[in-house]
Amino acid sequence: MNQNLEENVRQILSRWTEGLCPGGQVLIRKGGETFYEGCFGYGNLENRIPITPESIFHIASISKQFTVLSVLLLQEDGLLSVDDDIRRYVGDLIRFEEPVTLRQMFNNVSGIRDQWELLFMRGIKINDSIDMEDVNETIRLQKSLNFPPQEGYLYSNTGFHLLSVIVERLSGMSFPQFVRERIFKPLHMDNTLVRGSYSQIIPGLAYSYQDDGTGTYYYNPLNYSLYGPTSVNTCARDLIKILNEYRNPSLFSPETVKTVLTAAVLKDGSEIEYCGGMMTHVWNGLKVYEHGGADAAYRAQLLWIPEKELEVVLLSNTTTYMASVAAKKLAALALGLEPDSNATDVQNACPACPGLFVTALPDDPVVMEITEQDGAFYMKREYGPAPLIPQENGSYRIGSLDEYLVFHGDTLEHRLPTRTAALRRAQQTAPVDCPLRPGDYYQDETLCMLKISQEGEGLVISHPRYGTTPLYFTADQRGIFGFGPDFVMYVTPCQGGISLDGYRARHMVCRAL
């Protein structure tokens, strides 16, 4: 292997070369030939087991394309049409009125609320041993959608869950068995499986470790028994085989492959980035197909540029790097392109200051706490505080992560590798004439009881499973609360109660009791 190539890859993934740390697999092919293959770090820190080409990784949402392919195989078998109303197959799970098709679910334009925030509302935590019936019961409760089908684009894991249920009902097999027999075996993906239960032992599985940005790692387990949106476990050498099939279909019909790779179009005629378990966009003038995955601390990216016959697989058992950004850097390296610059212009930056900062609608809800100790500043994170490290341009790096904060007095920018979030200092006292009233509220689509109470000059909100947390106020006087990073929602008064808006579950009306 070219020594300069090896050095450049190691520079891109340098944190994975620093002693006893988690890491990942990298596989790059050009013109059907291996251009680069490498393994970094450890799959098990406790027992010092290095990652090898045979190590297995949970690939999270990259699994979705295999769910779509399973449905399309049943269409090839004549057992369904992807333009059928899902009530034809899972009518016992559906209470909302609008017709929704299988295609709308795998294009992420169905409007069906995402299962995760609904589960949290029900009092089910991410580390509980969640199973398929937990999600089925959550879906049965839903009477409304985020938006009318085909009128918006919003990622929904729930749709892929329902697709896997449909595969089981029509095939007579469990979903893990169907995918093994109809896809993995024919494609000789011999080290690949769908994990059907959190108790299932997977030989060679790399464990999941959270990087807190300080050089410390924490075990971040997956306890759920769910599939459809997730739970394919594989290695880079196996996963890249699906791109062979997209390039030269033999197992699937050309029409099936076209469906996976065709971007959806909304009712207003606008084309979105999501296809059928893959996404597409233009990068450096080149059409790219890719999908990422993130569950617990697992991160993964599958990237394909047909015009250049370039394929990149990046599988990781830690959160050190945003996989999509790292994969693009590897692609740029393989193509001899200048990598995307991490440098961004910073204007009118102020010194860091402690406080609570929140987003406002229509941005996704975020609550961020900055603390100060002995003149140093920290960002509160799930596993502990991460130091804010001053940079020459006036920004602050969050530990060793590729994330930065730029302070502007009462506002700040959270600069992530692919986007920037704007936050404003939260108002912690209830505004004069605050429209949010103390009282008990009931959300009948999640069987959730919430209580808003007066506490000093502010308000708090209580959940039976998550406890009590302050209710802060955004720039537009809406409320916002956070029971940890996964369960953050805006609170807006509405007729007869309050309405909650989360990341992928919106307009959740809670009736005042």
Side-chain angles (χ1 to χ4, degrees):
M1 185 181 297
N2 183 299
Q3 184 175 355
N4 190 49
L5 172 63
E6 176 71 26
E7 290 175 355
N8 286 334
V9 173
R10 291 176 70 85
Q11 183 177 2
I12 292 170
L13 303 172
S14 60
R15 289 282 313 284
W16 291 354
T17 66
E18 298 175 356
L20 183 65
C21 64
Q25 295 172 342
V26 175
L27 180 56
I28 305 173
R29 289 198 315 198
K30 286 181 71 176
E33 301 293 330
T34 298
F35 177 77
Y36 176 86
E37 184 177 26
C39 297
F40 301 82
Y42 290 79
N44 184 297
L45 301 185
E46 295 88 335
N47 296 299
R48 296 175 179 262
I49 300 174
I51 291 171
T52 69
E54 291 74 37
S55 296
I56 303 300
F57 294 81
H58 172 99
I59 61 170
S61 288
I62 296 178
S63 308
K64 288 179 169 66
Q65 64 197 281
F66 296 103
T67 304
V68 177
L69 288 166
S70 297
V71 167
L72 292 171
L73 281 173
L74 292 179
Q75 179 170 259
E76 290 184 18
D77 294 343
L79 295 177
L80 59 76
S81 165
V82 296
D83 294 311
D84 288 338
D85 188 331
I86 60 174
R87 284 175 175 78
R88 183 170 179 178
Y89 310 107
V90 288
D92 56 308
L93 302 181
I94 305 303
R95 292 180 65 197
F96 48 80
E97 295 180 356
E98 299 88 341
V100 170
T101 68
L102 283 72
R103 188 191 300 272
Q104 287 169 336
M105 291 199 300
F106 66 63
N107 286 156
N108 276 321
V109 297
S110 68
I112 296 175
R113 293 169 176 150
D114 190 77
Q115 63 195 42
W116 287 111
E117 285 166 305
L118 300 177
L119 288 165
F120 301 153
M121 288 282 291
R122 290 186 62 203
I124 298 171
K125 292 189 175 183
I126 189 68
N127 286 329
D128 289 346
S129 52
I130 309 168
D131 61 24
M132 295 292 285
E133 187 52 37
D134 287 322
V135 180
N136 285 342
E137 181 58 30
T138 300
I139 296 169
R140 285 189 190 98
L141 293 169
Q142 299 308 299
K143 297 185 291 186
S144 53
L145 303 175
N146 282 327
F147 50 79
Q150 213 75 32
E151 292 191 10
Y153 163 46
L154 190 61
Y155 201 87
S156 174
N157 288 288
T158 316
F160 294 87
H161 170 93
L162 286 168
L163 292 171
S164 71
V165 173
I166 291 170
V167 170
E168 292 187 326
R169 292 185 177 187
L170 294 187
S171 71
M173 302 184 203
S174 73
F175 182 75
Q177 180 185 6
F178 182 91
V179 182
R180 182 178 68 247
E181 296 298 326
R182 296 292 301 271
I183 300 177
F184 297 153
K185 279 188 176 181
L187 295 182
H188 304 290
M189 298 174 68
D190 301 325
N191 297 304
T192 303
L193 56 85
V194 174
R195 190 175 197 170
S197 169
Y198 72 91
S199 61
Q200 182 177 348
I201 294 173
I202 301 177
L205 179 67
Y207 284 20
S208 160
Y209 298 97
Q210 194 82 20
D211 185 343
D212 75 346
T214 68
T216 301
Y217 299 95
Y218 298 88
Y219 181 49
N220 189 349
L222 277 175
N223 289 344
Y224 54 68
S225 303
L226 303 176
Y227 46 76
T230 184
S231 290
V232 169
N233 286 253
T234 189
C235 59
R237 289 178 177 177
D238 264 17
L239 182 57
I240 208 164
K241 292 176 182 178
I242 194 62
L243 297 181
N244 295 340
E245 188 65 18
Y246 294 159
R247 187 172 58 251
N248 296 302
S250 59
L251 175 62
F252 307 110
S253 71
E255 183 62 29
T256 284
V257 172
K258 181 181 178 182
T259 300
V260 171
L261 300 177
T262 299
V265 178
L266 301 180
K267 281 186 177 179
D268 65 6
S270 59
E271 184 177 282
I272 64 171
E273 64 181 353
Y274 210 84
C275 306
M278 287 286 273
M279 304 169 83
T280 186
H281 59 92
V282 175
W283 171 74
N284 279 327
L286 301 168
K287 191 174 184 66
V288 174
Y289 293 98
E290 65 179 331
H291 208 295
D295 276 336
Y298 291 108
R299 298 294 183 267
Q301 197 74 19
L302 176 66
L303 181 148
W304 177 34
I305 305 177
E307 181 181 340
K308 296 295 185 180
E309 298 184 315
L310 180 72
E311 303 158 2
V312 178
V313 177
L314 175 66
L315 307 181
S316 172
N317 64 332
T318 187
T319 54
T320 304
Y321 297 107
M322 182 169 285
S324 61
V325 174
K328 291 287 198 327
K329 290 180 178 180
L330 294 168
L333 177 63
L335 295 174
L337 301 174
E338 286 294 321
D340 296 335
S341 175
N342 287 333
T344 54
D345 184 37
V346 174
Q347 296 182 353
N348 303 318
C350 296
C353 56
L356 283 151
F357 296 84
V358 297
T359 52
L361 280 169
D363 293 338
D364 297 331
V366 175
V367 175
M368 180 185 298
E369 183 175 357
I370 306 298
T371 61
E372 180 181 7
Q373 184 176 350
D374 299 327
F377 293 89
Y378 300 84
M379 175 182 172
K380 184 178 180 181
R381 297 176 70 89
E382 185 176 8
Y383 290 88
L388 301 187
I389 302 170
Q391 307 293 297
E392 289 185 0
N393 64 1
S395 67
Y396 292 79
R397 186 172 186 175
I398 303 173
S400 57
L401 303 177
D402 289 331
E403 299 180 29
Y404 298 83
L405 296 181
V406 181
F407 290 84
H408 302 288
D410 284 340
T411 65
L412 66 78
E413 302 171 53
H414 184 193
R415 297 192 175 185
L416 298 148
T418 59
R419 63 186 177 87
T420 296
L423 296 92
R424 179 179 293 273
R425 188 178 297 277
Q427 184 175 337
Q428 299 183 57
T429 58
V432 177
D433 298 326
C434 176
L436 294 174
R437 302 299 184 198
D440 295 318
Y441 297 87
Y442 181 66
Q443 213 293 314
D444 64 355
E445 292 175 285
T446 53
L447 309 181
C448 174
M449 288 289 299
L450 294 172
K451 186 181 186 66
I452 295 179
S453 306
Q454 187 84 36
E455 191 170 280
E457 296 183 352
L459 298 175
V460 296
I461 189 165
S462 302
H463 185 286
R465 181 84 194 278
Y466 287 85
T468 299
T469 193
L471 192 59
Y472 305 113
F473 295 90
T474 65
D476 57 5
Q477 301 299 303
R478 284 183 170 89
I480 185 172
F481 66 84
F483 289 111
D486 298 316
F487 187 7
V488 185
M489 287 190 162
Y490 295 111
V491 186
T492 306
C494 66
Q495 185 174 4
I498 57 175
S499 179
L500 305 183
D501 288 276
Y503 179 27
R504 295 172 179 162
R506 300 174 179 175
H507 319 307
M508 306 284 292
V509 175
C510 305
R511 177 169 48 88
L513 299 180

